Amino acid sequence: MATQSLIYRVAVPLPLWQLFDYQALPDTPPLVPGCRVQVRFGARRLMGLVAEVTTHSAVPEARLQPILGAPDGPQPMLSVELLDLLRWCAAYYKHPPGEVLCHALPPALRRADQHLPEPPFQYRLSPSGQERLAQGPGRAPAQYRLLEALGEGALSPAALRQQATASAAQLRTVEQQGWLRREALGAGKPVGLAGPSLTAEQQAALTAMNASGPGFACHLLDGITGSGKTEVYLRLVEQVLQRGQQVLILVPEIGLTPQLLRRFQQRFGLEPVVSHSAMASRARLTAWAAALRGEAQLFIGTRSALFLPLQNPGLLIVDEAHDASFKQQDGFRYGAADVAVKRAQALQVPVVLGTATPTLEMLHNADQKRYAHHRLRQRATGAPEPAWRVVDLRQQRLEAGLSPPALTAIADTLARDEQVLVFLNRRGYAPVLLCHECGWHGECHHCDANMTWHRQSGRLQCHHCGAQAQAPRFCPVCRADALSSAGEGTEQLEQFLQQRFPDTPLHRVDRDRVRRKGELEAVVDAVRTGDPCMLVGTQMLAKGHHFPKVTLVVVVSLDQALYSADYRALERLGQLLVQVAGRAGRERRPGTVLMQTHHPEHAALQCLLKEGFEAFARGLLEERQLAQLPPYAYQAVLRAEGQQRADLQRFLDEALACWPGPAGSGFGPFPAMMERRGGLLRWQLLLQSEQRAALQAWLDRWLTQVQALASSRKVRWDLDLDPQEF
Ligand code: ADP
Ligand code: ZN
Ligand code: ZN
């Protein structure tokens, strides 16, 4: 009997819905699911992933091509657990499985000539190093500093040199003495330095979480800023590390700060392995290697780190779980917080969603007992919560958008040698440049949007597509010398405040000013000295950072969101306000948040300020229930992009005509909130149901029909499940 040859069902990184069968190479070790393979696909060579191994194929054997090679041999790059999760994602988000599987790999592994490197390492003191440390500095202070820095645990080479202010040569000398040991980064028993004794609320949350045992449970840790959520994470992480299991902590794009890393490093004496999409491709690859190898235990990363191939995970944590950056906004549009819950469920381990401002979906899940709800309502340090002050902007004379009461409050705060934070979520000098003679204003040629005037660089810039132009000196239409700006951005605030308070240093924090790594850290360090200063910035300032000496926060304007057509706008406004307010008065001195608005009587706003975020969110939940909107319905959006409106409308009309759901479950076509962006028109259909399963079933049935439409080939389209933007 001839031995049956193996057939590999391969996922290729192309927008195709099926897997493709290839034959094993003769006389090679058998591959398993998760192995990388090179295959010929038409005229191309592609790097794919083995998704299944079988002995039968619907393709006649004579037409089956062999794989071209397997760069890692039989070693899989994805675990079976991850493969299952990713295939679930492909099915749920209706995204081609090949793209989903290949998306999970770090970019370097999508190329055949790249291999898994050695995982990153850390130094620890060897026994002889311990002895040498005990002998004191002697005549080699730099060497001693290196040993001393390792006295409380392990450090990566970079962190060690930084902490000991030592050169590479000095480090080499110490290593050659045999005083150091190399081991996988993030590995080893945590030293478990004692933290503060927990507050009653923290203890109650921790006890309740532990009582639910080691299996799957989703914990919503709903705690105001400064209530000590991170301290609760640290306790949980410590337990898991002690058991020798791995922990994955997801943070928002801008939440991954050295401060946070230092906090974990200091507590456990081991450095977390970091993985995020802005990291150099090599570094991401080593983080991947560390997870696969299974020695490193502590991982922190942004959205994409969710798919790290952990070998023995015991706990997942999503910090600031409400953050919009957890949802991928193009291609494979997954929601990382939701998929983290799914992954924890598959792994049968607990997951913690921590936030001061839970999304309405999270609150609803807690109400439905799908999540356990733990509330922290007191600041852990005992500092009082900031007091809100609303300033009615109507009939006030504004300077750079600031009202007289705001300016007085800033002056008073600075006079007390305290710090001020001024928040405005708009960079540049002004959101529009216009002509007083003829009414011309600078619009983007590619978007339905005005160009923002960046006065310092003398340019007009579109914040939606990135288009740029020289800012004109005279009106390009009537040639009048009558150009002026309307509205304000952070650049204008900076200029104005610096002139008004010339003796106080001012730090502007936005994407124009703070670009390179370390620039934000430099500002944070300067502010943390506690010297009086002004901070002006966008939401870059609103998250993750602790500014203990800031006692006044001024919110210049958030009114746009109060009457937005997007039903999530109010929820987001509340989240942003609470996050910004949370920067103030985190130490002994009480903070004030001064909020300027043209609508001081707005009911939801009043509720937020008087009763707090949960009451505010519950009000919004009632409205959503009445309107049958998420979380009381499940939604998907079919998005189409193209040059011609008629093409988009025809495609969407035809798609809607074959929508299998009942009346009232499919709507459209309607244009995106910004119809034209980056030169493309964008239209969409909204599909929804009160039942997740029903929506899924309709979508599955529908998609094959939509793909078959001739009109679908004239446009670019994709499906967005649980959409966050319209
Ligand atoms: P959150 O993550 O909820 O914003 P943190 O965990 O960062 O809060 O805690 C806020 C501040 O309170 C930090 O400076 C932290 O060191 C301190 N802190 C946390 N828990 C305690 C506690 N139990 N006792 C005293 N201080 C605490
Ligand atoms: Zn003009
Ligand atoms: Zn544009």
Side-chain angles (χ1 to χ4, degrees):
M1 196 181 87
T3 52
Q4 266 186 324
S5 61
L6 288 179
I7 297 188
Y8 300 133
R9 213 146 268 171
V10 174
V12 292
L14 293 174
L16 300 168
W17 294 85
Q18 71 268 50
L19 303 172
F20 297 90
D21 290 355
Y22 289 87
Q23 265 176 335
L25 285 175
D27 306 322
T28 52
L31 305 183
V32 294
C35 284
R36 293 195 300 157
V37 284
Q38 279 177 289
V39 294
R40 197 180 298 289
F41 194 86
R44 285 192 281 181
R45 278 165 154 253
L46 293 178
M47 171 64 71
L49 280 164
V50 176
E52 292 167 26
V53 181
T54 171
T55 51
H56 300 284
S57 175
V59 183
E61 194 171 335
R63 282 188 31 218
L64 267 184
Q65 298 216 19
I67 61 167
L68 299 173
D72 319 301
Q75 192 199 354
M77 292 293 109
L78 289 175
S79 58
V80 173
E81 176 258 324
L82 258 186
L83 279 172
D84 287 346
L85 180 76
L86 290 164
R87 295 186 73 173
W88 176 86
C89 285
Y92 179 80
Y93 290 102
K94 316 287 171 221
H95 197 78
E99 285 191 342
V100 171
L101 262 58
C102 296
H103 172 99
L105 289 179
L109 285 183
R110 297 173 205 165
R111 294 179 24 198
D113 59 349
Q114 296 281 320
H115 295 276
L116 210 59
E118 280 299 303
F121 68 91
Q122 63 191 11
Y123 285 115
R124 198 181 280 282
L125 284 184
S126 67
S128 64
Q130 306 263 14
E131 278 169 32
R132 174 65 190 79
L133 177 63
Q135 289 159 14
R139 264 169 303 154
Q143 293 185 8
Y144 184 75
R145 281 201 307 276
L146 283 161
L147 301 177
E148 208 176 26
L150 290 172
E152 301 200 323
L155 287 171
S156 68
L160 173 57
R161 277 184 47 203
Q162 197 197 354
Q163 275 196 25
T165 48
S167 68
Q170 287 162 334
L171 174 55
R172 210 171 316 123
T173 312
V174 169
E175 188 172 13
Q176 279 160 2
Q177 296 291 331
W179 292 334
L180 307 182
R181 214 173 64 206
R182 287 186 184 201
E183 60 184 31
L185 185 68
K189 281 268 177 276
V191 291
L193 289 186
S197 52
L198 296 181
T199 65
E201 286 184 329
Q202 285 172 321
Q203 188 59 58
L206 190 66
T207 307
M209 290 183 190
N210 281 333
S212 77
F216 169 71
C218 181
H219 299 287
L220 175 59
L221 184 59
D222 168 4
I224 62 169
T225 33
S227 61
K229 295 183 291 297
T230 311
E231 186 59 41
V232 175
Y233 304 155
L234 288 166
R235 301 297 169 111
L236 291 167
V237 169
E238 182 178 355
Q239 299 168 3
V240 180
L241 295 180
Q242 291 291 2
R243 292 202 300 270
Q245 288 186 297
Q246 293 170 312
V247 178
L248 172 62
I249 301 163
L250 296 183
V251 296
E253 297 291 352
I254 51 179
L256 197 54
T257 61
Q259 281 154 293
L260 181 72
L261 293 176
R262 220 174 295 142
R263 206 157 155 194
F264 279 92
Q265 202 274 322
Q266 282 172 350
R267 182 65 67 87
F268 300 124
L270 44 96
E271 223 177 285
V273 177
V274 174
S275 172
H276 63 91
S277 41
M279 233 160 71
S281 129
R282 179 79 192 169
R284 262 183 91 182
L285 192 58
T286 54
W288 186 270
L292 256 188
R293 187 71 71 88
E295 287 159 331
Q297 288 182 270
L298 188 52
F299 293 82
I300 299 189
T302 52
R303 184 177 65 221
S304 59
L306 169 63
F307 299 117
L308 280 172
L310 305 173
Q311 298 300 296
N312 181 21
L315 172 68
L316 308 183
I317 294 173
V318 186
D319 188 30
E320 310 286 358
H322 64 279
D323 196 273
S325 73
F326 285 121
K327 171 91 172 164
Q328 170 112 347
Q329 288 300 359
D330 52 18
F332 168 34
R333 300 168 183 265
Y334 65 103
D338 295 330
V339 180
V341 175
K342 187 76 198 169
R343 188 171 185 190
Q345 196 173 22
L347 289 165
Q348 284 298 306
V349 303
V351 54
V352 178
L353 307 177
T355 172
T357 53
T359 64
L360 300 190
E361 278 80 359
M362 290 171 190
L363 279 180
H364 184 61
N365 277 327
D367 291 345
Q368 302 285 309
K369 306 285 176 229
R370 282 191 284 265
Y371 299 172
H373 197 167
H374 312 276
R375 293 176 178 85
L376 307 178
R377 291 291 178 259
Q378 308 287 321
R379 283 188 160 182
T381 50
E385 270 203 80
W388 290 92
R389 228 183 105 192
V390 177
V391 173
D392 185 349
L393 283 181
R394 285 171 298 192
Q395 287 149 33
Q396 301 259 22
R397 210 176 75 71
L398 304 182
E399 293 177 272
L402 294 169
S403 61
L407 284 168
T408 309
I410 293 172
D412 290 350
T413 308
L414 295 179
R416 289 196 306 269
D417 276 351
E418 294 170 8
Q419 298 177 334
V420 175
L421 187 158
V422 182
F423 174 81
L424 175 60
N425 213 6
R426 201 186 295 128
R427 61 200 171 86
Y429 187 84
V432 60
L433 186 65
L434 46 80
C435 171
H436 256 306
E437 287 295 321
C438 74
W440 169 89
H441 55 284
E443 290 178 297
C444 177
H445 294 304
H446 315 283
C447 306
D448 295 329
N450 291 325
M451 305 271 269
T452 301
W453 183 26
H454 289 252
R455 189 170 174 175
Q456 278 164 358
S457 63
R459 298 187 77 75
L460 295 179
Q461 209 185 85
C462 174
H463 288 181
H464 303 282
C465 72
Q468 290 207 13
Q470 187 95 41
R473 172 82 184 76
F474 301 101
C475 172
V477 173
C478 74
R479 313 303 307 162
D481 184 6
L483 293 183
S484 65
S485 63
E488 49 285 318
T490 47
E491 202 182 296
Q492 189 174 151
L493 273 173
E494 173 187 33
Q495 192 186 338
F496 172 79
L497 284 170
Q498 195 63 90
Q499 274 167 9
R500 176 65 63 98
F501 305 103
D503 300 330
T504 308
L506 184 149
H507 308 279
R508 193 179 101 207
V509 176
D510 58 29
R511 267 200 290 135
D512 298 318
R513 180 54 57 80
V514 175
R515 283 213 187 121
R516 256 156 306 172
K517 206 172 140 190
E519 284 179 326
L520 183 54
E521 301 324 317
V523 172
V524 171
D525 287 344
V527 176
R528 291 187 133 223
T529 61
D531 297 336
C533 70
M534 294 176 278
L535 275 157
V536 171
T538 57
Q539 61 171 343
M540 252 184 149
L541 269 183
K543 299 182 191 175
H545 294 287
H546 299 192
F547 299 115
K549 299 290 194 315
V550 168
T551 54
L552 173 69
V553 170
V554 177
V555 178
V556 179
S557 166
L558 284 171
D559 279 355
Q560 268 180 340
L562 289 178
Y563 297 98
S564 164
D566 182 345
Y567 68 81
R568 286 189 214 271
L570 260 186
E571 178 185 356
R572 295 223 181 90
L573 168 78
Q575 285 166 340
L576 192 53
L577 269 180
V578 170
Q579 300 290 338
V580 176
R583 305 304 114 204
R586 293 174 62 109
E587 276 189 353
R588 283 167 303 276
R589 296 185 211 184
T592 301
V593 185
L594 190 148
M595 180 171 164
Q596 304 193 134
T597 174
H598 283 96
H599 307 283
E601 72 299 332
H602 194 283
L605 200 59
Q606 286 290 340
C607 172
L608 177 67
L609 306 190
K610 294 210 177 96
E611 296 171 58
F613 187 82
E614 187 171 351
F616 163 80
R618 294 210 172 275
L620 297 184
L621 270 173
E622 275 174 35
E623 291 173 17
R624 297 271 187 95
Q625 185 161 27
L626 287 173
Q628 280 301 298
L629 286 168
Y632 300 95
Y634 299 92
Q635 294 185 329
V637 168
L638 178 68
R639 301 178 189 277
E641 283 184 350
Q643 307 280 357
Q644 304 294 333
R645 198 169 284 139
D647 289 342
L648 298 172
Q649 287 171 343
R650 175 164 338 105
F651 165 60
L652 294 175
D653 280 335
E654 289 177 16
L656 189 60
C658 52
W659 171 245
S665 66
F667 309 90
F670 47 83
M673 290 213 175
M674 184 181 295
E675 184 187 7
R676 204 166 51 103
R677 193 171 73 188
L680 287 175
L681 296 171
R682 304 166 323 136
W683 281 66
Q684 53 206 15
L685 295 181
L686 176 65
L687 301 322
Q688 77 171 42
S689 168
E690 283 161 46
Q691 308 294 327
R692 201 195 284 277
L695 181 66
Q696 285 282 324
W698 298 333
L699 289 171
D700 284 333
R701 234 190 302 157
W702 187 48
L703 273 181
T704 34
Q705 286 176 282
V706 173
Q707 279 157 23
L709 293 174
S711 57
S712 76
R713 279 179 273 289
K714 289 198 142 175
V715 301
R716 256 185 26 207
W717 61 275
D718 71 358
L719 204 60
D720 186 357
L721 262 290
D722 306 327
Q724 300 294 309
E725 289 175 3
F726 294 94

